Amino acid sequence: MLNVPSQSFPAPSSQQRVASGGRSKVPLKQGRSLMDWIRLTKSGKDLTGLKGRLFEVTEEELEKHNKKDDCWICIRGFVYNVSPYMEYHPGGEDELMRAAGSDGTDLFDQVHRWVNYESMLKECLVGKMAVKPAVPKGMLPKSQVTDTRAREGPISPSYDWFQTDSLITIIIYTKQKDMNLDSVIVDYQDDSFRAETIIKDYSYLIHMELFREIHEDFSVRVVANVGKIEIVLKKKEHTSWKCLGHALENHNSFTPRKDTGTEIVKPYTPVSHSLLFKLMEPVLPNDKYIYFLIKIYPAGLFTPELDHLQIGDFVSVSSPEGNFKISQFQELEDLFLLAAGTGFTPMVKILNYALTNIPSLRKVKLMFFNKTEDDIIWRSQLENLAFKDKRCDIEFVLSAPTSEWNGKQGHISPALLSEFLKRSLDKSKVLICICGPTPFTEQGIRLLHDLNFSKDEIHSFTA
């Protein structure tokens, strides 16, 4: 929400006030502009120093972090490590230090309450302030308290939101590790937004009539090691929202799950029966059957149910959706495929089609990212395909290999891509397809643009 500043802005004692009554800024070092800060927050660098973990911060703990190189500040119940931001702050380091190790909400509101600090400092988030419990006269023994919590189930999640001109981001703090996308169901119909998160045998629900309309395509990202879920919505109108919306039935509730036959919808990509389609007859005819390649998550919400289906059971299948056009293959000479994990599935039919139906094709290369060797889907088929068709080249990249692994290691990076994406001719027509978890795809697209590939040369597959 934008608020018009009062006549007392900036605060009389602020570094931003000069004697004439106008506003001044502290000169910043070169490379410390707002855009430099935004680039730093998107670099993946650990700005909190906590390796992605979130904490409940006590007042005693907050007070300890009161130095320039170790400065935590609380704003509206959330604690941020602002040390990395010191040199980027237009009002200067001294202004930030006024709130070091304390609750700076009032000070923040006096100086620039309209600033979207949630977005500016989201990569600096340490956690929430701990709520002081009311201690009853007859306090339970520690062991008894622990047993009571165990019987009551997992700790209740919470959520927060922030906005930019074009996006709304909803963050759910599940307080559980090893969450995955299979445990999140997001739906938007008739202005009603619903996000259900399954945590063990409990359901956490966000259910709202949103303040304004959004587009129907939204993204969901899970930070598994801290149990944080980010839901990004696209505004139809680029205006500021005064609030997220109005609560509907059971909003912000955390209740035991009931087996009510909830409808679950997940997108999957049909694949061919095999990569070696010229050499193998399909077990079942392609014109009567659809093939899917689906990874089963034992702790997931959907795939275990799918795994237990028997012959004769029914699953509803929607009409196909997507925006990939065969015309993108016209006169194509070099095809590069970037896949991570189950993001390999759309590449199956692309490989089959490209090697069979594009006479101008000189080269097709797949770089396949996985965690371990055991995670590589259809490895033997890929290797056989590369052996039998000299236009095809396959590279495997592992992020957590064993000591016996002799191949490439790491995550998607400029070094890996610049070596991989070499045209067969200087001006050959190129198409790059990318698919994987949302962070992988977003990072990959940024790197491809940095390597001067145009939007027309890149196609990303997203759910």
Side-chain angles (χ1 to χ4, degrees):
M1 175 179 179
L2 293 177
N3 296 294
V4 179
S6 65
Q7 292 182 349
S8 61
F9 171 83
S13 57
S14 170
Q15 288 179 312
Q16 299 177 47
R17 181 177 288 278
V18 294
S20 63
R23 182 181 178 187
S24 67
K25 296 183 179 180
V26 173
L28 299 175
K29 298 177 182 178
Q30 188 173 1
R32 295 296 185 271
S33 68
L34 174 60
M35 291 308 300
D36 292 317
W37 172 251
I38 293 173
R39 277 191 286 268
L40 178 61
T41 62
K42 292 183 177 181
S43 68
K45 186 176 180 180
D46 180 15
L47 299 183
T48 64
L50 301 175
K51 299 181 179 179
R53 294 170 295 174
L54 294 175
F55 292 94
E56 281 198 336
V57 182
T58 63
E59 289 184 10
E60 293 76 16
E61 181 65 27
L62 178 63
E63 291 171 358
K64 295 176 184 177
H65 302 272
N66 58 6
K67 302 178 180 64
K68 285 187 178 181
D69 59 352
D70 180 22
C71 181
W72 291 7
I73 292 176
C74 173
I75 304 177
R76 294 187 176 87
F78 289 89
V79 178
Y80 300 90
N81 178 2
V82 299
S83 301
Y85 183 59
M86 286 283 180
E87 294 185 348
Y88 297 83
H89 185 233
E93 296 178 3
D94 291 343
E95 190 75 4
L96 281 177
M97 288 303 296
R98 293 172 61 192
S102 65
D103 190 330
T105 304
D106 291 341
L107 186 62
F108 175 84
D109 287 344
Q110 290 173 19
V111 180
H112 34 44
R113 57 193 276 185
W114 51 89
V115 172
N116 188 350
Y117 68 91
E118 297 102 326
S119 177
M120 289 278 291
L121 298 176
K122 66 178 181 178
E123 299 302 328
C124 300
L125 181 64
V126 173
K128 277 192 171 184
M129 286 296 295
V131 178
K132 288 186 175 181
V135 182
K137 292 181 180 179
M139 194 169 181
L140 291 172
K142 186 175 182 181
S143 60
Q144 194 172 340
V145 172
T146 304
D147 291 343
T148 302
R149 283 184 178 175
R151 288 196 301 271
E152 290 175 350
I155 300 172
S156 178
S158 60
Y159 81 96
D160 197 6
W161 71 285
F162 60 88
Q163 63 179 310
T164 63
D165 287 341
S166 59
L167 302 175
I168 294 289
T169 300
I170 300 172
I171 302 178
I172 301 172
Y173 302 98
T174 68
K175 305 179 178 73
Q176 303 289 325
K177 290 187 177 181
D178 301 322
M179 297 293 297
N180 59 62
L181 283 172
D182 217 16
S183 299
V184 186
I185 305 170
V186 180
D187 183 49
Y188 177 65
Q189 293 184 33
D190 301 325
D191 297 330
S192 171
F193 175 81
R194 193 177 187 277
E196 183 178 10
T197 304
I198 306 303
I199 303 172
K200 298 180 180 178
D201 293 326
Y202 285 74
S203 168
Y204 178 66
L205 182 65
I206 294 176
H207 192 196
M208 303 196 79
E209 180 183 342
L210 296 177
F211 183 72
R212 301 252 189 236
E213 290 187 349
I214 61 170
H215 292 285
E216 292 185 0
D217 56 323
F218 40 76
S219 64
V220 182
R221 172 175 173 255
V222 175
V223 185
N225 59 337
V226 295
K228 183 172 73 171
I229 299 167
E230 293 184 359
I231 304 170
V232 180
L233 314 175
K234 297 178 182 178
K235 298 178 179 178
K236 279 193 174 180
E237 298 178 0
H238 291 190
T239 57
S240 180
W241 290 19
K242 295 180 180 179
C243 62
L244 184 58
H246 302 290
L248 298 177
E249 184 180 6
N250 296 324
H251 172 65
N252 202 23
S253 63
F254 188 54
T255 56
R257 289 178 63 198
K258 296 179 181 178
D259 187 6
T260 56
T262 303
E263 182 180 61
I264 304 171
V265 179
K266 290 286 182 181
Y268 291 104
T269 305
V271 300
S272 306
H273 74 280
S274 167
L275 280 172
L276 305 175
F277 53 95
K278 289 183 180 179
L279 307 175
M280 297 174 60
E281 287 296 322
V283 178
L284 299 170
N286 281 314
D287 59 348
K288 293 185 179 179
Y289 295 88
I290 303 174
Y291 293 88
F292 291 99
L293 190 60
I294 298 173
K295 182 177 180 179
I296 304 299
Y297 294 91
L301 175 65
F302 181 64
T303 54
E305 300 297 325
L306 197 63
D307 193 34
H308 290 129
L309 290 176
Q310 303 296 316
I311 294 175
D313 290 340
F314 288 88
V315 184
S316 297
V317 179
S318 70
S319 299
E321 297 179 0
N323 57 1
F324 186 84
K325 297 178 181 178
I326 294 297
S327 60
Q328 293 173 258
F329 284 146
Q330 288 181 1
E331 301 179 359
L332 186 67
E333 296 170 280
D334 293 327
L335 175 61
F336 298 102
L337 308 176
L338 301 170
T342 52
F344 167 70
T345 53
M347 308 307 176
V348 175
K349 284 200 169 182
I350 286 180
L351 280 168
N352 282 346
Y353 184 90
L355 293 171
T356 307
N357 298 291
I358 307 179
S360 58
L361 189 68
R362 290 194 179 93
K363 179 170 57 178
V364 54
K365 295 178 69 177
L366 167 68
M367 180 171 278
F368 193 5
F369 293 81
N370 286 279
K371 190 174 182 180
T372 67
E373 283 188 80
D374 291 339
D375 296 323
I376 301 175
I377 302 169
W378 282 7
R379 179 178 180 177
S380 61
Q381 289 199 46
L382 287 167
E383 291 173 337
N384 284 335
L385 183 64
F387 176 76
K388 294 179 183 300
D389 194 319
K390 299 306 178 185
R391 295 173 298 170
C392 185
D393 184 32
I394 310 294
E395 295 184 18
F396 301 117
V397 183
L398 301 183
S399 60
T402 62
S403 56
E404 290 80 22
W405 175 253
N406 296 318
K408 293 184 176 180
Q409 303 180 24
H411 300 273
I412 192 167
S413 66
L416 282 174
L417 293 185
S418 59
E419 180 184 349
F420 176 72
L421 300 169
K422 292 182 178 177
R423 300 173 187 255
S424 57
L425 297 174
D426 285 345
K427 295 185 179 180
S428 61
K429 184 177 179 181
V430 169
L431 177 64
I432 304 168
C433 297
I434 183 169
C435 186
T438 302
F440 170 85
T441 304
E442 291 178 347
Q443 174 73 352
I445 292 173
R446 283 195 294 268
L447 294 176
L448 292 173
H449 287 317
D450 290 344
L451 291 170
N452 297 318
F453 289 99
S454 68
K455 288 183 179 180
D456 293 337
E457 294 174 322
I458 303 168
H459 183 89
S460 63
F461 292 92
T462 55

